[in-house]
Amino acid sequence: MALVNPFVSPTRTFLPLRVSAPPNKGLRWTVYSASFKPSLRSKHATCGATADLKAAPLADSEADGAVLVVPTTEEEVKGEYDWTEEWYPLYLTKNVPEDAPLGLTVFDKQVVLFKDGNGQLHCYEDRCPHRLAKLSEGQLIDGRLECLYHGWQFEGEGKCVKIPQLPADAKIPRTACVKTYEVRDSQGVIWVWMSLKTPPNDSKLPWFENFARPGFRDISTVHELPYDHSILLENLMDPAHIPISHDRTDWTAKRENARPLSFEVTERTDRGFAGWWGAEKDGSRPNFLRFGAPCVLQNNREMVDKNGVTNYFSGLFLCRPTGQGKSMLIVRFGSTRSSSPLAKLFPEWYFHQNASKVFEQDMGFLSSQNEILLKEKVPTKQLYLNLKSSDTWVAEYRKWMDKVGHGMPYHFGHSTISLPKEPAVVEHAPAGLVAGQSASSPAKGGIGTMHAPNLANRYFRHVIHCQGCRTAVKAFQAWKNALSAVAVTLVGLAILVSGKQWKAILLASASLCSIGVYACSSAIAMNTTNFVRTHRRL
């Protein structure tokens, strides 16, 4: 998957990177390299901890040296792991609505995020203690979250402050409260700490050095996707598929550029892994990739321009598991280099819809991959044929899942597997006139019944989560309606007037309005119509 790909130059540079706070004491760091040689890169492997330097073992099959599973020479030790004791990316800060609650999920836990009257963020369990109705289906009244079933209102740390059905002389029961989750707003992203028992560990809150650099600018998008978060992350750390799957989607992806790649794993911990990669024929690995628990991936690079100025590039992927076979992704591509004058001519919504197209190009085969994993019920080692020249990160990720998967609701590891224990939640679109109108109201982000919840719909996957694109689509719809009305009026006047000159002027004006209607319709379609591959079109 790629929106823009700055990771193409053969120049090798080294990145002073920080994904989160310094690693906890007691973590064992292990460095693996096909042929370890003392170099500057070994500094990235130690990160202040003791390094255990070993040569990477050969693949399970060595007949032609092509298959790579990246097994370890020692038995993996599974420590205690609790998936709730992590920070998960909930939403882009700029897209959190001011006037409505936002229903979100992390694995199988449903939460509701909202801003109170003072603009402070709160995150509750998405369940009213009265009759279990979803609070995210409620509304905000004077900064308090109201359940629309019976009007119970909650504020602050989940305290119930109003029950309309309670007698005037009765006190609100102390148990009439909702569970709360800690949230943090960091670098433009809202993060949630999912544990209700353990206090938040701020040292685990991710921090991205490049995004804090002066002059760093990024384009951020949000996407809901119909496949498991592990399949999404696996896809995102797979640079080999970009030239094929996304051929001609942007200025860098071309199928004729598909080639063997070279990888070097320089860090392995129970918090993730990291390493360098690049084109095999260049003999260089200028790109630095880091995966951090539980679902953060970044691809970074430094490039020095002709004036000797170092520019920093980052592709950041923040993934949130949203249930069985579902995930939500925050994508952030940015750099310290000024964008080209040509790029400045395009509005932000254009880049966002192009990103939606990219995910649609992957959607078919990633959804089928999800189905096969659930059907076969075996670890990926028995299903995947991983290549040294393309799949190193994929094997590393599944091996990491072997270490921590036992502490997750479900996982598909390299050698282990844990199937979902909870049944998948089946969601339905609203039924009836009132429900349909509610779902298409501005508070819910829709603009008509054609945008009913459906993960196959580009509008539902992205636009309802993006304030900028939602505003753009509504503006184009308003301009389309206005220009259509003007065009009809001008044609009517042209019929009524008698002068040929006036008829020509009115009809020409009507034609210009019709062109405007077509342009607005095209812009709306770009944000609401799914991409179809040319060779698949019937």
Side-chain angles (χ1 to χ4, degrees):
M1 177 275 167
L3 305 184
V4 291
N5 190 2
F7 313 111
V8 292
S9 170
T11 306
R12 180 68 175 269
T13 53
F14 305 98
L15 304 179
L17 299 173
R18 179 172 176 246
V19 178
S20 62
N24 295 333
K25 293 181 179 180
L27 296 185
R28 180 177 58 83
W29 292 68
T30 305
V31 180
Y32 294 83
S33 173
S35 57
F36 179 79
K37 296 179 181 179
S39 68
L40 290 175
R41 278 176 286 155
S42 63
K43 293 181 179 179
H44 295 283
T46 59
C47 290
T50 301
D52 179 14
L53 305 180
K54 298 181 180 179
L58 295 176
D60 285 357
S61 171
E62 302 178 43
D64 56 6
V67 181
L68 173 67
V69 179
V70 198
T72 56
T73 55
E74 60 185 59
E75 192 174 315
E76 294 291 357
V77 179
K78 293 183 179 181
E80 291 299 322
Y81 184 79
D82 184 347
W83 72 269
T84 66
E85 295 182 4
E86 299 281 8
W87 293 98
Y88 291 84
L90 275 184
Y91 227 59
L92 283 172
T93 306
K94 65 181 181 180
N95 289 334
V96 177
E98 300 283 345
D99 58 352
L102 189 62
L104 304 167
T105 58
V106 181
F107 279 114
D108 58 344
K109 303 296 183 182
Q110 297 179 333
V111 301
V112 55
L113 181 71
F114 71 97
K115 289 183 179 180
D116 64 17
N118 299 318
Q120 184 176 350
L121 287 164
H122 298 277
C123 186
Y124 297 165
E125 182 180 34
D126 196 5
R127 185 170 70 182
C128 181
H130 178 214
R131 297 268 287 278
L132 312 182
K134 275 191 173 184
L135 292 173
S136 59
E137 291 297 322
Q139 59 186 341
L140 297 181
I141 303 293
D142 298 326
R144 300 187 295 270
L145 179 57
E146 181 183 83
C147 176
L148 272 183
Y149 199 178
H150 294 90
W152 289 29
Q153 293 183 4
F154 305 88
E155 68 178 10
E157 297 304 312
K159 180 182 178 181
C160 182
V161 294
K162 182 178 181 180
I163 299 179
Q165 298 79 18
L166 207 61
D169 57 346
K171 292 183 178 181
I172 296 176
R174 287 184 298 173
T175 54
C177 58
V178 292
K179 297 177 180 178
T180 63
Y181 294 91
E182 290 282 348
V183 291
R184 300 285 189 273
D185 184 347
S186 177
Q187 295 183 295
V189 176
I190 307 300
W191 299 81
V192 62
W193 178 260
M194 288 305 298
S195 177
L196 293 172
K197 301 177 181 178
T198 307
N201 184 348
D202 285 331
S203 70
K204 286 186 174 182
L205 185 65
W207 176 264
F208 307 102
E209 189 71 27
N210 281 352
F211 284 78
R213 296 183 186 278
F216 193 90
R217 293 170 298 277
D218 72 287
I219 294 178
S220 301
T221 61
V222 181
H223 306 270
E224 277 198 89
L225 299 165
Y227 39 84
D228 188 73
H229 78 284
S230 67
I231 291 176
L232 171 60
L233 282 167
E234 181 184 279
N235 171 249
L236 295 169
M237 61 180 67
D238 173 20
H241 85 285
I242 293 174
I244 304 298
S245 302
H246 309 305
D247 180 31
R248 267 72 182 182
T249 302
D250 58 28
W251 299 282
T252 61
K254 298 179 181 179
R255 65 181 302 107
E256 58 267 25
N257 290 340
R259 66 193 67 183
L261 301 174
S262 174
F263 303 85
E264 181 180 6
V265 183
T266 56
E267 301 176 17
R268 278 195 186 102
T269 77
D270 54 3
R271 297 296 300 162
F273 59 88
W276 299 84
W277 68 274
E280 185 180 68
K281 71 172 186 177
D282 297 334
S284 65
R285 303 184 185 101
N287 310 303
F288 187 80
L289 177 141
R290 182 186 292 279
F291 166 73
C295 45
V296 172
L297 180 71
Q298 63 173 323
N299 212 337
N300 295 332
R301 184 168 185 164
E302 292 179 7
M303 297 178 66
V304 180
D305 63 21
K306 60 182 180 180
N307 298 318
V309 177
T310 301
N311 290 301
Y312 300 87
F313 298 84
S314 278
L316 180 61
F317 307 97
L318 309 176
C319 178
R320 173 164 49 85
T322 58
Q324 296 174 40
K326 297 183 294 182
S327 54
M328 176 172 275
L329 177 69
I330 296 175
V331 184
R332 308 187 74 180
F333 273 88
S335 73
T336 55
R337 187 174 67 181
S338 300
S339 57
S340 67
L342 180 61
K344 293 179 180 179
L345 296 177
F346 293 90
E348 190 174 76
W349 66 261
Y350 174 82
F351 294 104
H352 285 202
Q353 66 83 29
N354 192 63
S356 297
K357 182 191 301 183
V358 168
F359 285 106
E360 288 158 9
Q361 291 169 337
D362 287 339
M363 194 172 296
F365 50 79
L366 293 183
S367 296
S368 65
Q369 181 183 354
N370 200 134
E371 294 173 6
I372 292 172
L373 285 174
L374 286 172
K375 179 181 178 181
E376 296 291 339
K377 298 181 176 63
V378 296
T380 60
K381 182 179 180 179
Q382 301 180 37
L383 297 172
Y384 289 5
L385 184 63
N386 288 326
L387 303 179
K388 284 183 178 179
S389 58
S390 60
D391 303 316
T392 294
W393 303 140
V394 172
E396 284 296 323
Y397 176 58
R398 294 300 176 181
K399 289 290 291 182
W400 177 81
M401 285 293 245
D402 288 338
K403 296 180 182 180
V404 304
H406 63 287
M408 293 183 172
Y410 49 87
H411 84 283
F412 299 93
H414 176 71
S415 303
T416 62
I417 185 174
S418 174
L419 295 176
K421 296 179 179 61
E422 298 290 334
V425 176
V426 179
E427 297 175 349
H428 299 280
L433 176 62
V434 175
Q437 290 297 322
S438 174
S440 62
S441 68
K444 297 300 177 185
I447 56 166
T449 54
M450 67 175 287
H451 304 302
N454 180 358
L455 281 178
N457 182 286
R458 184 183 295 181
Y459 188 96
F460 181 72
R461 286 198 319 274
H462 168 69
V463 177
I464 64 170
H465 300 293
C466 178
Q467 187 178 40
C469 288
R470 193 164 61 246
T471 300
V473 171
K474 290 179 179 178
F476 281 123
Q477 186 69 55
W479 275 104
K480 176 185 174 181
N481 294 339
L483 290 172
S484 297
V486 172
V488 171
T489 302
L490 291 173
V491 171
L493 291 174
I495 294 174
L496 295 176
V497 298
S498 56
K500 292 183 178 180
Q501 184 177 2
W502 279 107
K503 283 183 180 291
I505 293 174
L506 290 171
L507 290 176
S509 300
S511 299
L512 291 175
C513 289
S514 298
I515 293 173
V517 170
Y518 176 79
C520 290
S521 298
S522 298
I524 294 171
M526 290 174 73
N527 287 281
T528 59
T529 304
N530 287 338
F531 166 85
V532 179
R533 292 186 187 275
T534 303
H535 70 275
R536 296 286 294 172
R537 185 171 293 145
L538 302 178

